[in-house]
Every structure is written in structure tokens, then in C-alpha cells.
Amino acid sequence: MVRKSRKTSPDTEEMTVVDKTKAALHRRKTKLKLSVINIMLTVVQGSEMDFGKTYNFSQHSIRIGRDKKNTIQLDDLKVSKQHCEISVIKTNDLEQIVVKDLGSTNGTYVNNELIRQRILSSGDKITIGETVFRFNYNDEIEEEYHSKLFNFAAVDALTGLYNRRYILSELEKQRKIAKRNDRVFSIVVIDIDDFKQVNDTFGHHAGDEYLKQVAFIIKHSLREQDISGRLGGEEFLILLPETNLDGAFHLANRIRKRIEETGLIYQNNTINATISAGVSQYKLGTTDTAASTISSTDQLFKQADGALYMAKNSGKNKVVKAKI
């Protein structure tokens, strides 16, 4: 039996090309859908403490504005309370990312152009007040890169808390928020007692391990909205939004007791140390005169530092409130 060879007709060849084109388009759409799962906004211009910060989201939309209820809150008077929204929009099985201005006072810009609504492309720059975000589809390598970049700039390498530069910038930000919204705000300055003796007795490596342990206790004693950082050496700073002086005092005492009761086991030795702390509150008094006594970040910090000095000079291992 002779088997006839199958010839390809022009129509079949044309269908093959169409099928390939459809398959390629399908792969492209599928890839876009997968990319949309993680959308990345990176701060490329703005306040020093926000620079390099990355926001990833996978929900259908996020809102950006000055109000704390927004997904991304910007402390900037040029930003409206509800400034703009970024949404995932489905059209004919194709997902697109759209930014929409929400009637803001100063407008939303994409690549320096004022917009009401715009489909975003990877690499677009969104300007909201003084902050500029770069929009990108995310992947694991890029996410890790930006995370490491931000940590390098803002995080203390030894303790994992924020570094001095970042925490002091955040202190000023929180003070401004408290002033603008007439809200209470307190800080705690902590210093490890006789830390030099730990280094001299057990070595600097043991001292580093003890600093890590103190930082761990501080971090895990705080609420989600509280912020902690290492000022340098054995000194730490805690920022407590919407917390009065008594609340900050009780928190500092809980941290002090936990550190006193927790010994560090190092090379078959137990290292026990204590801390002293000073606590201060923005707007200590209820009258305008009393409130004006703490009207700047420097004054707020000096009040807490002075209380810490009193704790050190009155026997250590204690917390002292700043005096009005």
C-alpha cells in the first residue's frame, strides 16, 4: 500500500501563523497577569526617611494620601487626605494598572504630566506632593534588591533596629503629626547601665550579643505603630505615637524589668545588666504656656535625655519622667 504524502495547503500555513500569533498573545497576557500579582512602588524622591522605601501590593486597589487610613500615608501638607488611587482594571481578559486622581488640591502627575486618570506602564514616575514613586511590576530579585537597599540606608546592621539617622528623622515626622493633629506623643531614651564593664569583662563580641538581645526585647515589647532605633553605642530611642507620659513610663518600666530578668548566656557565662530610661511627652501640659515648653524635636529629646541623666545619677536601673 502506497501512503500518499500530505501536502500543506496555503490555507493551512496561514492558520498555523495565526495560531502561533494567538499563542504568543496568550502567553503575553498570561505573563502580564502573573506580573500584576505583585506591583511595586518605590520612593525615588521625597523625604530622607522614605527614600528607597518599597511598597508591594496584590489587592485590587490602593489609596495614597495624608490620612492614616490610606494604604500609603504621606506626611506632606501638599498631599490631600485622599489623594489618588491605583487600581487593577480588567478589560477583555487583559489586566491594566490605572492611577486615578481623587480630586486632590495639588494634583497627581505621571511623568511630570498632570492627569485625572492614566494607564501605567512599567517605569512610570508618579508625583504626589513632594514624593515621587516609580511604578514597576515586581519580581523576587528586584524586590530583594530594593529591600536590601532600604535596609542598608535605614537599619542598624548589628541590632536590626532603625539607625540613628532614620530614627531621628522619624522623630521629627511624628512630632509634626502630633502638632498638626493635636495628638499626644511620647518618647523613651534608653541606655544600658555600665555597658563598658560587659565589654571589659566578657569581650566586645559578648557586648555585641548583649546589644542584640536588648534590641530584641525592645522590639517585641512594642505595638505595631511604635518605632524603635539605636542612637549609637548602647543608647536606644523609642517613639510612641498617641501615647501619654504615663503610658510611656509604664512601657519603659516593663522593658526595664524584662531586661533585668533576662540574662545572656555567652560561653558558659551569664551576663546580667540593667537599663535606665528617660521619658518625655510632646505637649506635657494642657495650657498653651506649658505646651510651648516643648515645641521642637530638640527640646523633646533633651527633656527625655535629662530624665535619663537623673535616672543614672539616682542609682540606675530605673525610669524617670521628664519634669514640666
Side-chain angles (χ1 to χ4, degrees):
M1 179 178 179
V2 179
R3 180 173 297 173
K4 294 181 179 180
S5 61
R6 179 179 296 173
K7 294 182 179 180
T8 305
S9 67
D11 288 342
T12 307
E13 288 180 355
E14 185 178 349
M15 288 298 294
T16 302
V17 172
V18 171
D19 288 343
K20 288 181 179 179
T21 303
K22 285 182 176 179
L25 182 59
H26 176 72
R27 287 195 298 271
R28 183 179 176 184
K29 289 181 178 179
T30 302
K31 184 178 181 181
L32 181 58
K33 285 182 180 181
L34 290 175
S35 297
V36 169
I37 291 174
N38 287 306
I39 302 165
M40 182 166 68
L41 294 172
T42 303
V43 179
V44 294
Q45 183 176 313
S47 69
E48 184 177 280
M49 60 192 159
D50 288 331
F51 183 76
K53 187 176 288 185
T54 298
Y55 300 91
N56 293 285
F57 66 96
S58 57
Q59 59 264 48
H60 293 296
S61 66
I62 65 166
R63 286 201 173 190
I64 303 174
R66 204 172 70 244
D67 195 283
K68 66 179 181 179
K69 294 180 181 179
N70 291 288
T71 314
I72 299 175
Q73 181 188 9
L74 297 177
D75 179 41
D76 182 351
L77 291 176
K78 294 181 180 180
V79 176
S80 298
K81 289 185 177 180
Q82 301 286 336
H83 197 100
C84 69
E85 185 174 48
I86 300 176
S87 305
V88 180
I89 306 296
K90 282 189 176 182
T91 307
N92 297 326
D93 295 327
L94 185 65
E95 291 182 340
Q96 296 175 322
I97 312 302
V98 176
V99 58
K100 178 182 179 182
D101 186 81
L102 298 176
S104 65
T105 302
N106 294 308
T108 300
Y109 294 78
V110 175
N111 300 328
N112 296 321
E113 181 182 343
L114 182 65
I115 61 98
R116 292 180 65 184
Q117 184 168 307
R118 174 72 64 86
I119 296 173
L120 293 173
S121 299
S122 187
D124 280 347
K125 293 183 175 63
I126 308 165
T127 302
I128 303 167
E130 299 292 337
T131 302
V132 179
F133 295 94
R134 187 180 63 207
F135 167 81
N136 282 106
Y137 296 118
N138 195 12
D139 60 56
E140 291 182 1
I141 294 175
E142 192 165 8
E143 183 177 355
E144 183 179 0
Y145 165 75
H146 284 284
S147 177
K148 287 182 178 180
L149 190 66
F150 177 74
N151 286 340
F152 180 77
V155 176
D156 176 61
L158 178 64
T159 63
L161 302 181
Y162 288 121
N163 60 26
R164 179 184 180 88
R165 186 176 185 179
Y166 186 92
I167 194 69
L168 290 179
S169 295
E170 188 67 25
L171 171 60
E172 175 64 11
K173 174 183 175 181
Q174 293 297 329
R175 188 197 65 81
K176 287 180 179 178
I177 292 173
K179 179 180 180 181
R180 184 187 312 131
N181 299 304
D182 196 26
R183 291 176 179 170
V184 67
F185 167 56
S186 296
I187 68 171
V188 180
V189 178
I190 292 174
D191 188 88
I192 301 175
D193 298 325
D194 303 316
F195 185 68
K196 185 176 182 299
Q197 293 183 11
V198 175
N199 284 326
D200 292 345
T201 304
F202 301 101
H204 287 280
H205 187 268
D208 287 347
E209 292 301 311
Y210 193 79
L211 284 170
K212 290 180 186 178
Q213 179 166 287
V214 169
F216 179 87
I217 292 173
I218 290 173
K219 187 174 183 178
H220 288 81
S221 300
L222 305 181
R223 305 166 300 177
E224 185 178 353
Q225 65 265 38
D226 300 333
I227 306 164
S228 56
R230 181 187 179 198
L231 291 171
E234 64 272 23
E235 195 170 26
F236 301 86
L237 174 63
I238 302 174
L239 313 181
L240 302 169
E242 300 189 23
T243 304
N244 62 23
L245 190 66
D246 287 337
F249 176 79
H250 291 308
L251 170 68
N253 252 320
R254 287 200 302 272
I255 293 173
R256 180 193 63 78
K257 290 177 182 178
R258 186 175 176 189
I259 289 173
E260 182 183 19
E261 295 166 357
T262 306
L264 172 68
I265 306 300
Y266 180 79
Q267 294 183 351
N268 298 321
N269 294 305
T270 301
I271 302 175
N272 290 105
T274 59
I275 65 164
S276 295
V279 180
S280 182
Q281 177 190 313
Y282 178 67
K283 293 188 176 181
L284 279 170
T286 56
T287 66
D288 291 338
T289 302
S292 66
T293 61
I294 297 186
S295 57
S296 72
T297 302
D298 286 344
Q299 289 174 325
L300 181 65
F301 185 82
K302 285 179 181 178
Q303 287 275 1
D305 203 44
L308 170 63
Y309 182 79
M310 292 175 61
K312 289 282 190 183
N313 284 341
S314 59
K316 304 176 184 178
N317 190 23
K318 61 178 61 177
V319 179
V320 172
K321 298 178 187 178
K323 293 183 178 180
I324 300 176

